[in-house]
Amino acid sequence: MRMNTHYDDLETRSADARAAAQLQALQANIARVAATPGACRIEDGSVQDLADLRKLPVLRKSDLAAWQADNPPFGGIPVRNAAHVFQSPGPIYEPGGVTHDWWRMGRFLHAVGIGAGDVVQNCFGYHLTPAGMIFESGARAVGATVLPAGTGQTELQVQAAKAVGSTAYAGTPDYLKVLLDKSDALDVALNFTKAAVGGGALFPAMRQAYADRGITCLQCYATADLGNIAYESPAMEGMIVDEGVIVEIVTPGSGEPVAPGEVGEVVVTTLNPDYPLIRFATGDLSAALPGQSPCGRTNMRIKGWMGRADQTTKIKGMFVRPEQVANLVARHDEIVKARVIARRDGTQDAMTVQLETTGGAAEDYAASVAATLKLKGIIEVVSPGSLPKDGLVIEDQRDYETT
Protein backbone atom coordinates (compact mmCIF):
# COMPACT_ATOMS: atom_id res chain seq x y z
CA MET A 1 0.00 0.00 0.00
CA ARG A 2 1.16 3.53 -0.81
CA MET A 3 1.69 5.43 2.44
CA ASN A 4 2.93 8.65 0.85
CA THR A 5 0.52 9.40 -1.99
CA HIS A 6 -2.60 11.46 -1.60
CA TYR A 7 -5.74 12.01 -3.62
CA ASP A 8 -5.16 15.78 -3.87
CA ASP A 9 -3.58 18.71 -2.05
CA LEU A 10 -6.68 19.18 0.12
CA GLU A 11 -5.67 16.19 2.23
CA THR A 12 -2.41 17.78 3.37
CA ARG A 13 -3.40 21.45 3.73
CA SER A 14 -3.00 23.36 6.96
CA ALA A 15 -5.77 23.56 9.53
CA ASP A 16 -6.16 27.28 8.88
CA ALA A 17 -6.49 26.81 5.12
CA ARG A 18 -9.04 24.04 5.62
CA ALA A 19 -11.10 26.07 8.09
CA ALA A 20 -11.15 29.12 5.80
CA ALA A 21 -12.29 27.08 2.80
CA GLN A 22 -14.91 25.22 4.82
CA LEU A 23 -16.31 28.44 6.26
CA GLN A 24 -16.67 29.95 2.80
CA ALA A 25 -18.47 26.85 1.47
CA LEU A 26 -20.66 26.64 4.58
CA GLN A 27 -21.71 30.28 4.36
CA ALA A 28 -22.66 29.80 0.69
CA ASN A 29 -24.82 26.81 1.60
CA ILE A 30 -26.47 28.65 4.48
CA ALA A 31 -27.29 31.55 2.15
CA ARG A 32 -28.98 29.14 -0.27
CA VAL A 33 -30.94 27.45 2.50
CA ALA A 34 -31.99 30.73 4.08
CA ALA A 35 -33.23 32.00 0.72
CA THR A 36 -35.48 28.97 0.23
CA PRO A 37 -38.94 29.47 1.78
CA GLY A 38 -39.72 26.90 4.43
CA ALA A 39 -36.45 25.01 4.03
CA CYS A 40 -34.93 25.30 7.53
CA ARG A 41 -34.80 27.59 10.51
CA ILE A 42 -31.43 29.09 9.60
CA GLU A 43 -30.75 32.75 8.89
CA ASP A 44 -28.18 34.02 6.41
CA GLY A 45 -25.19 35.48 8.26
CA SER A 46 -25.79 33.35 11.35
CA VAL A 47 -22.36 31.70 11.03
CA GLN A 48 -19.34 34.01 11.01
CA ASP A 49 -16.93 31.37 12.29
CA LEU A 50 -16.98 27.57 12.28
CA ALA A 51 -17.46 27.71 16.05
CA ASP A 52 -20.84 29.33 15.39
CA LEU A 53 -22.14 26.01 14.06
CA ARG A 54 -23.02 24.98 17.62
CA LYS A 55 -25.64 27.76 17.68
CA LEU A 56 -27.63 26.16 14.85
CA PRO A 57 -30.30 23.49 15.41
CA VAL A 58 -29.43 19.83 14.97
CA LEU A 59 -31.32 18.16 12.12
CA ARG A 60 -32.43 14.61 12.91
CA LYS A 61 -33.76 11.89 10.64
CA SER A 62 -37.16 12.21 12.30
CA ASP A 63 -37.18 15.91 11.39
CA LEU A 64 -36.21 15.14 7.82
CA ALA A 65 -38.93 12.50 7.51
CA ALA A 66 -41.53 14.97 8.81
CA TRP A 67 -40.35 17.71 6.43
CA GLN A 68 -40.51 15.31 3.50
CA ALA A 69 -44.03 14.18 4.42
CA ASP A 70 -45.15 17.82 4.36
CA ASN A 71 -43.09 18.87 1.33
CA PRO A 72 -42.08 15.87 -0.80
CA PRO A 73 -39.70 14.61 -1.88
CA PHE A 74 -36.84 16.46 -0.13
CA GLY A 75 -38.61 18.46 2.58
CA GLY A 76 -37.97 21.86 1.03
CA ILE A 77 -34.18 21.59 1.19
CA PRO A 78 -32.81 23.34 -1.95
CA VAL A 79 -31.67 20.37 -4.03
CA ARG A 80 -30.09 20.83 -7.46
CA ASN A 81 -28.43 18.64 -10.10
CA ALA A 82 -30.31 15.54 -8.91
CA ALA A 83 -30.15 12.68 -11.39
CA HIS A 84 -31.61 10.03 -9.08
CA VAL A 85 -33.96 9.76 -6.14
CA PHE A 86 -33.27 7.01 -3.60
CA GLN A 87 -35.28 5.64 -0.71
CA SER A 88 -33.95 4.60 2.68
CA PRO A 89 -35.85 3.10 5.62
CA GLY A 90 -38.17 5.59 7.25
CA PRO A 91 -38.94 6.17 4.47
CA ILE A 92 -36.50 8.97 3.73
CA TYR A 93 -35.73 10.11 0.20
CA GLU A 94 -32.24 11.20 -0.86
CA PRO A 95 -31.12 12.85 -4.08
CA GLY A 96 -28.15 11.59 -6.03
CA GLY A 97 -26.08 13.30 -8.68
CA VAL A 98 -23.86 12.16 -11.53
CA THR A 99 -21.46 15.08 -11.46
CA HIS A 100 -17.90 14.08 -10.59
CA ASP A 101 -17.87 11.89 -7.46
CA TRP A 102 -21.05 13.40 -6.02
CA TRP A 103 -20.72 11.40 -2.76
CA ARG A 104 -16.92 11.90 -2.46
CA MET A 105 -16.07 8.21 -2.36
CA GLY A 106 -13.07 8.45 -4.70
CA ARG A 107 -10.88 9.76 -1.90
CA PHE A 108 -11.45 6.57 0.08
CA LEU A 109 -10.97 4.21 -2.87
CA HIS A 110 -7.70 5.98 -3.69
CA ALA A 111 -6.57 5.41 -0.09
CA VAL A 112 -7.32 1.70 -0.53
CA GLY A 113 -5.06 1.73 -3.60
CA ILE A 114 -7.81 1.34 -6.20
CA GLY A 115 -7.28 3.16 -9.48
CA ALA A 116 -6.92 2.84 -13.24
CA GLY A 117 -6.48 -0.78 -14.27
CA ASP A 118 -8.58 -2.12 -11.41
CA VAL A 119 -11.92 -3.86 -11.89
CA VAL A 120 -14.12 -3.21 -8.87
CA GLN A 121 -16.73 -5.84 -8.07
CA ASN A 122 -19.34 -3.59 -6.48
CA CYS A 123 -21.46 -5.74 -4.17
CA PHE A 124 -23.45 -2.89 -2.66
CA GLY A 125 -27.13 -2.78 -3.50
CA TYR A 126 -28.43 -0.86 -6.50
CA HIS A 127 -32.13 -1.25 -5.66
CA LEU A 128 -33.77 1.88 -4.20
CA THR A 129 -30.92 2.60 -1.78
CA PRO A 130 -27.88 4.60 -3.01
CA ALA A 131 -24.98 2.49 -1.73
CA GLY A 132 -24.27 0.88 -5.10
CA MET A 133 -24.21 4.21 -6.90
CA ILE A 134 -22.15 5.83 -4.14
CA PHE A 135 -19.30 3.36 -4.61
CA GLU A 136 -19.68 3.27 -8.39
CA SER A 137 -19.24 7.04 -8.62
CA GLY A 138 -16.11 6.77 -6.49
CA ALA A 139 -14.70 4.02 -8.68
CA ARG A 140 -15.26 6.13 -11.79
CA ALA A 141 -13.53 9.05 -10.07
CA VAL A 142 -10.32 7.03 -9.65
CA GLY A 143 -10.48 5.57 -13.16
CA ALA A 144 -11.45 2.01 -12.23
CA THR A 145 -13.84 -0.24 -14.13
CA VAL A 146 -16.98 -1.38 -12.31
CA LEU A 147 -18.74 -4.75 -12.30
CA PRO A 148 -22.16 -3.74 -10.86
CA ALA A 149 -22.71 -7.02 -9.04
CA GLY A 150 -25.14 -5.92 -6.33
CA THR A 151 -26.07 -8.44 -3.66
CA GLY A 152 -26.81 -12.18 -3.81
CA GLN A 153 -26.35 -14.80 -6.55
CA THR A 154 -22.99 -15.70 -5.05
CA GLU A 155 -22.09 -18.46 -7.52
CA LEU A 156 -22.77 -16.19 -10.47
CA GLN A 157 -20.70 -13.48 -8.81
CA VAL A 158 -17.73 -15.84 -8.46
CA GLN A 159 -18.01 -16.78 -12.13
CA ALA A 160 -18.22 -13.12 -13.15
CA ALA A 161 -15.27 -12.14 -10.96
CA LYS A 162 -13.15 -14.80 -12.61
CA ALA A 163 -14.31 -13.97 -16.13
CA VAL A 164 -13.74 -10.20 -15.96
CA GLY A 165 -10.71 -10.36 -13.67
CA SER A 166 -12.04 -8.43 -10.71
CA THR A 167 -9.12 -7.08 -8.68
CA ALA A 168 -10.99 -5.12 -6.01
CA TYR A 169 -14.07 -5.72 -3.90
CA ALA A 170 -16.55 -3.12 -2.65
CA GLY A 171 -19.28 -4.20 -0.26
CA THR A 172 -20.00 -5.13 3.33
CA PRO A 173 -17.09 -6.70 5.24
CA ASP A 174 -18.71 -10.09 5.71
CA TYR A 175 -19.95 -10.65 2.13
CA LEU A 176 -16.37 -10.79 0.87
CA LYS A 177 -15.89 -13.90 2.99
CA VAL A 178 -19.03 -15.40 1.45
CA LEU A 179 -17.57 -14.84 -2.02
CA LEU A 180 -14.18 -16.26 -1.05
CA ASP A 181 -15.72 -19.33 0.59
CA LYS A 182 -17.83 -19.95 -2.52
CA SER A 183 -14.79 -19.56 -4.76
CA ASP A 184 -12.95 -22.13 -2.64
CA ALA A 185 -15.90 -24.52 -2.87
CA LEU A 186 -15.98 -24.11 -6.64
CA ASP A 187 -12.18 -24.32 -6.90
CA VAL A 188 -12.10 -20.96 -8.68
CA ALA A 189 -9.11 -18.69 -8.06
CA LEU A 190 -10.04 -15.04 -7.73
CA ASN A 191 -7.77 -12.02 -8.17
CA PHE A 192 -8.96 -9.76 -5.36
CA THR A 193 -6.06 -7.84 -3.79
CA LYS A 194 -7.95 -4.82 -2.42
CA ALA A 195 -11.23 -4.39 -0.57
CA ALA A 196 -13.15 -1.19 0.22
CA VAL A 197 -15.81 -2.01 2.78
CA GLY A 198 -18.55 -0.28 4.75
CA GLY A 199 -22.02 -0.80 6.13
CA GLY A 200 -20.95 -3.27 8.82
CA ALA A 201 -18.32 -4.11 11.39
CA LEU A 202 -14.83 -5.01 10.17
CA PHE A 203 -13.53 -7.15 13.00
CA PRO A 204 -9.73 -7.47 13.42
CA ALA A 205 -9.83 -11.24 12.87
CA MET A 206 -11.77 -10.75 9.66
CA ARG A 207 -9.32 -8.13 8.39
CA GLN A 208 -6.42 -10.44 9.22
CA ALA A 209 -8.07 -13.37 7.43
CA TYR A 210 -8.32 -11.25 4.28
CA ALA A 211 -4.72 -10.09 4.69
CA ASP A 212 -3.64 -13.74 4.93
CA ARG A 213 -5.16 -14.19 1.46
CA GLY A 214 -3.28 -11.19 0.09
CA ILE A 215 -6.21 -8.77 0.29
CA THR A 216 -5.74 -5.33 1.83
CA CYS A 217 -9.05 -4.35 3.43
CA LEU A 218 -9.88 -0.81 4.58
CA GLN A 219 -13.20 0.59 5.75
CA CYS A 220 -15.12 3.83 5.43
CA TYR A 221 -17.95 5.47 7.35
CA ALA A 222 -20.65 6.72 5.00
CA THR A 223 -24.42 7.24 5.01
CA ALA A 224 -27.07 7.49 2.32
CA ASP A 225 -27.79 11.09 3.27
CA LEU A 226 -24.25 12.42 3.57
CA GLY A 227 -22.04 10.21 1.43
CA ASN A 228 -18.52 9.60 2.69
CA ILE A 229 -17.90 10.97 6.19
CA ALA A 230 -14.58 9.38 7.15
CA TYR A 231 -12.28 6.63 5.94
CA GLU A 232 -9.24 4.58 6.81
CA SER A 233 -5.89 5.15 5.19
CA PRO A 234 -3.09 2.57 4.96
CA ALA A 235 -1.88 3.81 8.37
CA MET A 236 -5.06 2.28 9.89
CA GLU A 237 -4.95 4.67 12.86
CA GLY A 238 -8.51 5.88 13.15
CA MET A 239 -10.70 7.22 10.34
CA ILE A 240 -9.80 10.45 8.58
CA VAL A 241 -12.68 12.90 8.09
CA ASP A 242 -13.48 13.57 4.45
CA GLU A 243 -12.54 16.98 3.07
CA GLY A 244 -16.13 17.72 2.00
CA VAL A 245 -17.77 17.60 5.42
CA ILE A 246 -17.49 19.21 8.85
CA VAL A 247 -17.76 16.74 11.74
CA GLU A 248 -18.73 17.65 15.29
CA ILE A 249 -18.80 15.27 18.26
CA VAL A 250 -21.61 16.42 20.55
CA THR A 251 -23.38 15.34 23.71
CA PRO A 252 -26.33 13.16 22.63
CA GLY A 253 -29.56 15.11 22.77
CA SER A 254 -27.98 18.54 23.21
CA GLY A 255 -25.91 19.43 20.17
CA GLU A 256 -23.20 20.86 22.44
CA PRO A 257 -19.64 19.75 21.57
CA VAL A 258 -18.02 17.36 24.03
CA ALA A 259 -14.54 17.88 25.43
CA PRO A 260 -11.72 16.77 23.11
CA GLY A 261 -11.41 12.99 23.05
CA GLU A 262 -14.74 12.29 24.74
CA VAL A 263 -17.32 10.02 23.13
CA GLY A 264 -20.39 11.72 21.69
CA GLU A 265 -22.81 11.77 18.79
CA VAL A 266 -21.46 12.37 15.28
CA VAL A 267 -23.10 15.44 13.74
CA VAL A 268 -22.15 16.19 10.14
CA THR A 269 -22.47 19.26 7.95
CA THR A 270 -21.98 18.47 4.30
CA LEU A 271 -20.50 21.13 2.04
CA ASN A 272 -22.16 19.63 -1.04
CA PRO A 273 -23.89 22.65 -2.69
CA ASP A 274 -26.35 20.31 -4.43
CA TYR A 275 -27.76 18.95 -1.15
CA PRO A 276 -26.84 21.13 1.86
CA LEU A 277 -27.47 19.22 5.07
CA ILE A 278 -26.44 21.36 8.03
CA ARG A 279 -25.75 19.75 11.44
CA PHE A 280 -27.28 16.43 10.44
CA ALA A 281 -27.27 13.98 13.36
CA THR A 282 -26.13 10.52 12.34
CA GLY A 283 -27.28 8.82 15.54
CA ASP A 284 -23.82 7.22 15.82
CA LEU A 285 -21.27 7.54 18.62
CA SER A 286 -17.59 8.22 18.08
CA ALA A 287 -14.71 10.27 19.47
CA ALA A 288 -12.04 12.50 17.97
CA LEU A 289 -8.45 11.30 18.00
CA PRO A 290 -5.62 13.73 18.81
CA GLY A 291 -2.90 14.59 16.33
CA GLN A 292 -2.59 13.67 12.67
CA SER A 293 -2.43 10.41 10.79
CA PRO A 294 1.05 8.97 10.09
CA CYS A 295 0.01 8.78 6.41
CA GLY A 296 0.38 12.56 6.14
CA ARG A 297 -3.29 13.46 5.87
CA THR A 298 -3.93 16.41 8.15
CA ASN A 299 -7.69 16.42 8.72
CA MET A 300 -9.45 15.47 11.94
CA ARG A 301 -9.61 11.76 12.78
CA ILE A 302 -12.33 9.84 14.60
CA LYS A 303 -12.19 6.43 16.22
CA GLY A 304 -14.91 4.98 14.02
CA TRP A 305 -18.31 3.62 14.99
CA MET A 306 -18.68 3.24 18.77
CA GLY A 307 -22.40 2.56 19.16
CA ARG A 308 -25.71 4.34 18.76
CA ALA A 309 -26.42 7.75 20.23
CA ASP A 310 -30.18 7.24 20.42
CA GLN A 311 -30.27 5.83 23.94
CA THR A 312 -34.02 6.31 24.39
CA THR A 313 -35.10 3.91 27.16
CA LYS A 314 -38.46 3.07 28.67
CA ILE A 315 -38.47 3.23 32.47
CA LYS A 316 -41.62 2.49 34.48
CA GLY A 317 -43.53 2.57 31.21
CA MET A 318 -42.27 6.07 30.29
CA PHE A 319 -39.79 6.88 27.55
CA VAL A 320 -36.72 8.80 28.70
CA ARG A 321 -34.82 10.45 25.84
CA PRO A 322 -31.35 12.07 25.59
CA GLU A 323 -33.03 15.40 24.80
CA GLN A 324 -34.73 15.33 28.20
CA VAL A 325 -31.42 14.73 29.94
CA ALA A 326 -29.95 17.67 28.01
CA ASN A 327 -32.86 19.85 29.17
CA LEU A 328 -32.17 18.84 32.77
CA VAL A 329 -28.54 19.92 32.47
CA ALA A 330 -29.56 23.20 30.83
CA ARG A 331 -31.81 24.12 33.77
CA HIS A 332 -28.90 24.56 36.18
CA ASP A 333 -25.66 26.37 35.40
CA GLU A 334 -23.79 24.36 38.03
CA ILE A 335 -24.65 20.99 36.43
CA VAL A 336 -21.77 19.93 34.16
CA LYS A 337 -23.11 16.57 33.06
CA ALA A 338 -25.87 14.08 33.80
CA ARG A 339 -26.40 10.35 33.47
CA VAL A 340 -29.65 8.45 33.90
CA ILE A 341 -29.36 4.81 34.96
CA ALA A 342 -32.23 2.40 34.45
CA ARG A 343 -32.09 -0.59 36.80
CA ARG A 344 -34.28 -3.12 38.57
CA ASP A 345 -35.31 -2.92 42.20
CA GLY A 346 -36.71 -6.37 42.85
CA THR A 347 -39.42 -6.84 40.23
CA GLN A 348 -39.84 -3.15 39.42
CA ASP A 349 -38.02 -0.56 37.34
CA ALA A 350 -36.01 2.06 39.20
CA MET A 351 -34.10 5.14 38.08
CA THR A 352 -30.95 6.77 39.37
CA VAL A 353 -29.92 10.20 38.11
CA GLN A 354 -26.25 11.02 38.56
CA LEU A 355 -25.36 14.71 38.35
CA GLU A 356 -21.88 16.17 38.00
CA THR A 357 -22.21 19.54 39.70
CA THR A 358 -20.03 22.27 41.10
CA GLY A 359 -22.45 22.74 43.99
CA GLY A 360 -25.85 21.84 45.37
CA ALA A 361 -27.39 18.85 47.10
CA ALA A 362 -29.50 16.05 45.67
CA GLU A 363 -32.75 17.50 47.01
CA ASP A 364 -32.08 20.77 45.16
CA TYR A 365 -32.63 19.00 41.84
CA ALA A 366 -35.60 16.77 42.62
CA ALA A 367 -38.15 19.14 41.09
CA SER A 368 -36.13 19.57 37.90
CA VAL A 369 -35.67 15.82 37.52
CA ALA A 370 -39.40 15.23 37.87
CA ALA A 371 -40.24 18.08 35.49
CA THR A 372 -37.84 17.11 32.71
CA LEU A 373 -37.78 13.30 32.94
CA LYS A 374 -41.42 12.94 34.05
CA LEU A 375 -40.25 10.40 36.64
CA LYS A 376 -38.94 10.38 40.18
CA GLY A 377 -35.80 8.55 41.14
CA ILE A 378 -32.71 8.48 43.29
CA ILE A 379 -30.48 11.52 42.70
CA GLU A 380 -26.75 11.23 43.24
CA VAL A 381 -24.56 14.34 43.18
CA VAL A 382 -20.96 13.65 42.12
CA SER A 383 -17.96 15.88 41.54
CA PRO A 384 -17.06 17.12 38.04
CA GLY A 385 -15.09 14.56 36.06
CA SER A 386 -16.53 11.59 37.96
CA LEU A 387 -18.87 10.21 35.27
CA PRO A 388 -17.53 7.95 32.51
CA LYS A 389 -16.59 9.67 29.25
CA ASP A 390 -18.26 7.02 27.09
CA GLY A 391 -20.99 9.05 25.41
CA LEU A 392 -23.80 7.52 27.43
CA VAL A 393 -26.36 9.85 28.96
CA ILE A 394 -28.84 7.00 29.54
CA GLU A 395 -27.48 3.66 30.74
CA ASP A 396 -29.69 0.59 30.91
CA GLN A 397 -28.34 -1.81 33.55
CA ARG A 398 -31.36 -4.12 33.54
CA ASP A 399 -30.73 -7.78 32.81
CA TYR A 400 -33.46 -8.78 30.39
CA GLU A 401 -32.51 -12.45 30.59
CA THR A 402 -33.17 -12.87 34.30
CA THR A 403 -35.58 -10.10 35.31
Side-chain angles (χ1 to χ4, degrees):
M1 292 294 295
R2 301 187 301 274
M3 290 288 289
N4 59 347
T5 61
H6 303 106
Y7 188 64
D8 55 28
D9 292 340
L10 299 181
E11 294 183 346
T12 56
R13 57 185 165 172
S14 69
D16 288 344
R18 179 176 290 111
Q22 288 182 336
L23 179 60
Q24 183 177 14
L26 173 61
Q27 289 174 332
N29 274 359
I30 289 176
R32 289 189 60 239
V33 170
T36 303
C40 306
R41 302 175 303 280
I42 297 177
E43 295 181 2
D44 193 9
S46 57
V47 172
Q48 297 300 316
D49 185 272
L50 291 182
D52 291 338
L53 261 178
R54 65 191 297 174
K55 302 176 183 177
L56 302 183
V58 171
L59 173 61
R60 300 195 174 275
K61 280 185 177 288
S62 57
D63 299 325
L64 193 55
W67 291 2
Q68 291 184 357
D70 291 339
N71 191 1
F74 302 126
I77 294 175
V79 172
R80 67 186 189 188
N81 298 323
H84 301 95
V85 179
F86 299 97
Q87 183 196 73
S88 294
I92 291 175
Y93 295 92
E94 300 102 3
V98 292
T99 52
H100 182 75
D101 201 10
W102 202 82
W103 290 278
R104 309 172 315 280
M105 193 55 67
R107 191 176 300 283
F108 167 52
L109 297 188
H110 176 83
V112 178
I114 297 171
D118 279 308
V119 178
V120 179
Q121 185 138 340
N122 186 5
C123 297
F124 282 104
Y126 280 80
H127 177 65
L128 282 181
T129 59
M133 291 297 295
I134 289 174
F135 276 78
E136 179 167 318
S137 69
R140 288 201 304 267
V142 297
T145 301
V146 177
L147 174 63
T151 57
Q153 296 183 303
T154 305
E155 186 168 334
L156 286 177
Q157 290 222 30
V158 169
Q159 294 171 0
K162 178 65 175 179
V164 306
S166 296
T167 58
Y169 166 88
T172 58
D174 53 352
Y175 189 63
L176 176 56
K177 183 178 186 303
V178 174
L179 282 179
L180 295 173
D181 288 347
K182 178 61 72 172
S183 72
D184 291 343
L186 296 173
D187 196 24
V188 175
L190 300 183
N191 297 320
F192 291 130
T193 59
K194 307 156 190 173
V197 303
L202 175 59
F203 297 102
M206 184 183 296
R207 195 201 300 261
Q208 186 59 51
Y210 295 150
D212 291 343
R213 297 186 65 139
I215 302 171
T216 299
C217 184
L218 299 180
Q219 61 186 324
C220 72
Y221 170 36
T223 72
D225 318 272
L226 300 159
N228 192 24
I229 299 171
Y231 61 97
E232 285 187 315
S233 77
M236 288 189 284
E237 291 192 12
M239 305 185 83
I240 302 163
V241 171
D242 181 73
E243 296 296 329
V245 298
I246 301 169
V247 168
E248 302 172 84
I249 308 295
V250 308
T251 301
S254 78
E256 284 295 312
V258 301
E262 285 193 18
V263 178
E265 182 175 13
V266 180
V267 170
V268 181
T269 296
T270 174
L271 302 176
N272 181 358
D274 292 340
Y275 187 40
L277 290 177
I278 298 171
R279 297 205 87 196
F280 188 78
T282 64
D284 297 323
L285 292 175
S286 191
L289 288 171
Q292 296 177 356
S293 172
C295 70
R297 293 169 175 86
T298 57
N299 206 352
M300 169 188 181
R301 295 179 298 161
I302 60 175
K303 289 185 178 180
W305 189 83
M306 299 177 69
R308 290 294 292 170
D310 184 5
Q311 301 154 26
T312 298
T313 303
K314 185 177 282 188
I315 306 173
K316 300 181 183 178
M318 297 287 290
F319 282 110
V320 178
R321 307 178 189 278
E323 293 84 353
Q324 293 170 271
V325 182
N327 289 338
L328 172 61
V329 173
R331 278 187 169 224
H332 300 272
D333 292 339
E334 69 274 19
I335 296 181
V336 179
K337 192 175 182 180
R339 189 182 188 98
V340 172
I341 299 175
R343 53 187 177 79
R344 296 290 280 177
D345 184 2
T347 59
Q348 295 183 331
D349 283 348
M351 180 180 75
T352 298
V353 181
Q354 296 179 323
L355 302 175
E356 280 191 10
T357 74
T358 57
E363 55 269 22
D364 298 332
Y365 305 109
S368 291
V369 167
T372 54
L373 304 183
K374 311 303 180 186
L375 291 169
K376 294 181 180 180
I378 296 173
I379 300 172
E380 298 177 354
V381 172
V382 300
S383 59
S386 299
L387 296 182
K389 297 176 174 60
D390 55 6
L392 290 181
V393 294
I394 303 174
E395 179 185 359
D396 194 344
Q397 295 183 350
R398 293 170 292 191
D399 184 347
Y400 291 91
E401 297 296 325
T402 60
T403 59

